[in-house]
């Protein structure tokens, strides 16, 4: 199943994750993630005024952030968002908490953490990223 | 992960589809966190308000609830976190029939599975307090951190699907706070100035929480000479969990695993950080809003204890809430019954406030309520609530309980609210 990475593409290793292999455009910030605290889940944008991605759409993006914050609601919400076509394509965090993993497992969302490097610095906004949770790697094609 | 015979049988579907789904969900999470096996649990606390569930989640529950009783019934005592609708009050708050209908469907499904609808996030104070060393699966950050820290139980944050799975299997993957090594302090804070009220303890939780970056960090707090009250620890823990996404703290000389600092340290001794009144004042000031017209005051997150309900009633006696300001006072169904019996509900509502039961403000479609009622500026004594509610279109202010009541009577946010 593994295809050859494009010339110049970079492979970054992480812990084996959850969910399907996907490819998409990266949306990156040095900030945290909580579906309840940070998102307008109807509009599909970050709604928390203090969030670094405030006003930006996360729908269909490979969302790359530092870690999880906030409460437990994300565990339910990711599946609702996915079925409504209002979910990110994948979620990559430096450090997860149980809620994100539980939500990703429930929603079957591509999800990884514990990378060999700070993932918010390795991936730039707009890069094309292939996420392979079962293989524990991501492939970054610089835009 | 190692699975024993009954866990293998569940995975094979021999105990029905709900338990097969549940153990598979738990195994995926356990593998993600390198759990070696499962640990049996004594009780489950489930967060599953209809706003979080959405129609997709409710349909999922209904499928579970349609399974034969021997397949769908929970295996351990299982109780619920606050819900999104108080059926005695929802129309007054601009909530819709569609919201109420979704809520009814979720409740029917949970009852069919054997959940006790306690609808409370202060279950550790009011339902069945966990005990030292007990493995549990708690599904609200505030209830988890209190049970772990103050009562010495063992739980990770178990989000809705995960707590539901734990109820159906009677176990949870053994990782994180179920493992002794995961419970050691990784950060040490020294308190110079003791907070003077509930919101101050919440602010302290917020100050420390903002300094933490991950679920796996465990703060130890030194310098607390006399034990805080249960309500003070409740506000501290709820805010710490909300701002820091952490599930355990040790308070040296207060919490049961931490008679002294060395008892909770691992091989690496962390540096200490000092926290004082200036840090807490800066935290309050970061919310501001002084002089603004006040739309709504909310006492919730966590739900109020009986003692807090009495404090609100005392502060409201002989006064009247400003006609352009609403006051919501939120507690559990059991405490509401006690308040009715003791006359506290009547005293609070005589002043123009509304007592709600079995809900929590941010779990009840707060964005839609704000739009329906025209509410924007919100004031609370809960650091946790002001942290959450900004994402729902509100502009929050933080103040003491007394300052919140004064502001509600005046109809505007004071310049200094603590």
């Amino acid at each position: 199943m593994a295809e050859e990475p494009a010339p110049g593409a970079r492979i970054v290793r992480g812990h084996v994750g959850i969910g399907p292999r996907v490819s998409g455009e990266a949306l990156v910030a040095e900030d945290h993630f909580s579906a309840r605290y940070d998102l307008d889940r109807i509009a599909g944008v970050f709604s928390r005024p203090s969030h670094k991605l405030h006003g930006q759409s996360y729908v269909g993006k490979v969302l790359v952030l530092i870690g999880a914050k906030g409460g437990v609601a994300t565990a339910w919400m990711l599946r609702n968002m996915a079925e409504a076509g209002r979910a990110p394509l994948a979620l990559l965090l430096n450090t997860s908490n149980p809620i994100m993993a539980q939500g990703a497992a429930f929603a079957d969302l591509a999800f990884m953490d514990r990378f060999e490097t700070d993932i918010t610095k390795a991936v730039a906004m707009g890069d094309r990223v292939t996420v392979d949770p079962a293989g524990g790697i991501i492939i970054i094609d610089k835009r | 992960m190692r699975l024993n015979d009954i866990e293998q049988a569940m995975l094979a579907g021999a105990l029905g589809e709900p338990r097969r789904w549940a153990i598979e969900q738990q195994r995926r999470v356990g593998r993600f966190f390198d759990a070696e096996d499962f640990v049996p649990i004594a009780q489950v606390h489930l967060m599953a308000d209809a706003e979080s569930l959405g129609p997709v989640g409710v349909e999922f529950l209904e499928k579970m609830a349609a399974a034969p009783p021997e397949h769908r019934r929970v295996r351990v005592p299982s109780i619920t976190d606050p819900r999104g609708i108080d059926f005695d009050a929802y129309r007054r708050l601009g909530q819709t029939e569609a919201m109420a209908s979704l809520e009814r469907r979720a409740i029917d499904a949970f009852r069919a599975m054997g959940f006790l609808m306690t609808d409370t996030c202060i279950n550790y104070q009011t339902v069945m307090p966990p005990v030292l060393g007990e493995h549990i699966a708690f599904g609200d950050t505030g209830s988890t951190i209190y049970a772990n820290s103050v009562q010495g139980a063992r739980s990770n944050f178990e989000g809705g699907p995960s707590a539901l799975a734990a109820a159906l299997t009677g176990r949870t993957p053994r990782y994180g706070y179920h493992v002794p090594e995961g419970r050691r302090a990784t950060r040490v804070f020294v308190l110079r100035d003791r907070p003077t009220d509930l919101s101050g303890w919440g602010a302290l939780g917020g100050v420390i929480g903002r300094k933490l970056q991950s679920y796996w960090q465990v703060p130890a707090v030194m310098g607390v000479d006399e034990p805080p009250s249960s309500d003070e620890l409740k506000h501290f823990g709820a805010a710490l969990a909300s701002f820091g996404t952490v599930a355990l703290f040790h308070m040296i000389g207060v919490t049961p695993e931490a008679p002294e600092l060395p008892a909770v340290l691992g091989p690496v001794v962390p540096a200490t950080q000092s926290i004082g009144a200036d840090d807490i004042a800066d935290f309050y000031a970061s919310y501001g809003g002084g002089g603004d017209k006040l739309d709504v005051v909310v006492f919730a997150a966590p739900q109020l204890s009986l003692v807090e309900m009495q404090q609100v009633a005392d502060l409201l006696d002989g006064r009247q809430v400003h006609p352009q300001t609403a006051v919501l006072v939120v507690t559990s169904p059991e405490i509401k019954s006690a308040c009715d019996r003791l006359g506290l509900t009547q005293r609070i509502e005589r002043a123009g406030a509304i007592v709600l039961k079995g809900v929590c403000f941010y779990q009840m479609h707060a964005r839609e309520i704000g739009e329906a009622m025209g509410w924007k500026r919100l004031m609370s004594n809960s650091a946790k609530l002001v942290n959450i509610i900004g994402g729902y279109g509100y502009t929050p202010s933080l103040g003491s309980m007394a300052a919140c009541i004064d502001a509600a009577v005046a109809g505007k946010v004071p310049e200094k609210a603590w």
Side-chain angles (χ1 to χ4, degrees):
Chain A
M1 183 70 195
E3 70 246 32
E4 280 296 309
R10 179 183 175 194
I11 294 178
V12 177
R13 293 182 190 288
H15 192 279
V16 169
I18 288 171
R21 179 186 170 101
V22 295
S23 294
E25 184 187 329
L27 181 66
V28 188
E30 283 189 57
D31 209 330
H32 292 82
F33 182 74
S34 161
R36 164 120 60 200
Y37 287 38
D38 296 332
L39 307 183
D40 181 334
R41 303 184 306 281
I42 307 297
V45 298
F46 280 85
S47 60
R48 182 180 174 85
S50 60
H51 200 283
K52 288 179 180 163
L53 295 175
H54 179 241
Q56 299 211 46
S57 170
Y58 54 80
V59 177
K61 300 288 177 62
V62 175
L63 190 53
V64 183
L65 293 162
I66 296 172
K69 279 232 169 178
V72 300
T74 305
W76 286 119
M77 288 175 174
L78 288 177
R79 182 161 168 154
N80 259 303
M81 290 158 60
E83 298 218 3
R86 281 283 181 274
L89 182 68
L91 180 60
L92 307 180
L93 302 174
N94 280 330
T95 311
S96 177
N97 70 359
I99 298 304
M100 297 298 147
Q102 294 159 7
F106 187 53
D108 204 29
L109 176 79
F111 176 59
M112 287 178 60
D113 80 340
R114 287 164 283 175
F115 294 95
E116 59 196 354
T117 184
D118 181 344
I119 200 63
T120 64
K121 294 195 167 61
V123 181
M125 194 76 97
D127 284 351
R128 184 159 187 84
V129 180
T130 298
V131 181
D132 180 2
I137 60 165
I138 65 165
I139 303 166
I140 306 165
D141 285 312
K142 290 291 176 190
R143 75 186 155 136
Chain B
M1 277 181 81
R2 284 194 310 275
L3 272 62
N4 65 19
D5 289 349
I6 191 163
E7 290 154 2
Q8 293 282 6
M10 285 192 239
L11 191 63
L15 279 72
E17 173 56 21
R19 288 185 228 287
R20 190 211 60 76
W21 166 81
I23 200 91
E24 176 58 29
Q25 161 83 17
Q26 292 185 300
R27 195 169 68 143
R28 293 180 85 183
V29 174
R31 283 174 164 172
F32 186 84
F33 290 117
D34 303 315
E36 293 184 0
D37 62 359
F38 286 95
V39 59
I41 50 168
Q43 56 166 310
V44 167
H45 175 248
L46 176 81
M47 198 295 289
D49 61 72
E51 186 200 334
S52 304
L53 284 166
V56 170
V58 172
E59 284 163 22
F60 176 82
L61 294 175
E62 288 174 330
K63 268 190 210 163
M64 293 264 168
E70 66 273 23
H71 292 172
R72 71 181 189 231
R73 299 286 292 185
V74 298
R75 290 172 64 95
V76 292
S78 298
I79 63 175
T80 56
D81 200 41
R83 310 215 48 78
I85 296 278
D86 179 340
F87 289 101
D88 293 333
Y90 72 95
R91 291 190 185 91
R92 293 164 76 186
L93 299 173
Q95 291 179 297
T96 65
E97 294 304 323
M99 293 173 189
S101 169
L102 196 62
E103 185 70 56
R104 283 192 191 93
R105 287 170 53 195
I107 292 168
D108 288 346
F110 283 128
R111 285 189 172 148
M113 284 186 268
F115 277 88
L116 295 165
M117 304 304 293
T118 53
D119 305 347
T120 182
C121 59
I122 54 170
N123 54 309
Y124 48 84
Q125 288 181 316
T126 59
V127 181
M128 188 155 68
V131 298
L132 181 65
E134 191 175 46
H135 292 274
I136 57 175
F138 269 21
D140 165 71
T141 59
S143 65
T144 305
I145 197 169
Y146 193 100
N148 266 334
S149 311
V150 181
Q151 294 163 326
R154 277 99 173 95
S155 183
N156 288 309
F157 288 168
E158 300 270 9
S162 209
L164 175 61
L168 288 165
T169 64
R171 60 206 68 227
T172 195
R174 193 195 304 268
Y175 68 93
Y177 294 107
H178 293 284
V179 180
E181 296 74 37
R183 302 177 67 86
R184 290 176 179 157
T186 60
R187 301 283 295 270
V188 179
F189 297 91
V190 180
L191 189 60
R192 290 197 310 272
D193 305 295
R194 185 186 176 99
T196 53
D197 60 17
L198 295 177
S199 65
W201 281 98
L204 175 64
V207 168
I208 295 175
R210 280 179 174 172
K211 296 178 186 299
L212 303 173
Q213 292 299 319
S214 143
Y215 176 80
W216 314 101
Q217 293 187 324
V218 179
V221 181
M222 303 179 70
V224 183
D225 295 333
E226 295 294 325
S229 72
S230 174
D231 283 336
E232 288 171 338
L233 288 166
K234 171 172 86 171
H235 276 267
F236 172 73
L240 180 58
S242 177
F243 283 88
T245 194
V246 296
L248 171 66
F249 66 87
H250 298 295
M251 195 170 279
I252 308 305
V254 174
T255 57
E257 293 170 87
E260 52 197 20
L261 183 62
V264 292
L265 289 179
V268 180
V269 177
T272 61
Q273 274 182 278
S274 173
I275 307 278
D278 49 339
D279 298 297
I280 292 173
D282 288 347
F283 184 87
Y284 277 108
S286 69
Y287 289 94
D292 282 9
K293 172 183 170 290
L294 180 57
D295 297 316
V296 61
V297 171
V298 180
F299 294 110
Q303 290 175 336
L304 274 62
S305 70
L306 187 60
V307 172
E308 288 174 289
M309 295 296 286
Q310 185 184 40
Q311 290 164 351
V312 171
D314 288 347
L315 287 164
L316 280 171
D317 272 345
R319 306 172 80 182
Q320 202 62 38
V321 170
H322 192 279
Q324 292 185 345
T325 303
V327 176
L328 306 180
V329 187
V330 185
T331 189
S332 73
E334 307 311 322
I335 297 295
K336 168 71 163 46
S337 294
C339 289
D340 293 349
R341 181 169 57 82
L342 298 169
L344 297 176
T345 306
Q346 190 189 19
R347 286 170 56 197
I348 291 169
E349 296 203 329
R350 193 164 49 210
I354 300 171
V355 176
L356 299 175
K357 65 179 185 311
V359 291
C360 192
F361 188 68
Y362 69 89
Q363 292 174 291
M364 51 193 302
H365 309 271
R367 178 182 297 281
E368 289 80 358
I369 291 177
E371 289 167 359
M373 306 299 284
W375 293 343
K376 183 86 177 163
R377 172 60 70 180
L378 177 149
M379 190 169 175
S380 179
N381 75 331
S382 162
K384 172 176 177 169
L385 184 64
V386 299
N387 187 36
I388 297 172
I389 212 66
Y392 281 86
Y394 292 81
T395 312
S397 299
L398 178 66
S400 67
M401 183 188 283
C404 287
I405 297 288
D406 289 347
V409 171
K412 67 177 185 178
V413 181
E415 292 299 333
K416 186 172 183 295
W418 66 94

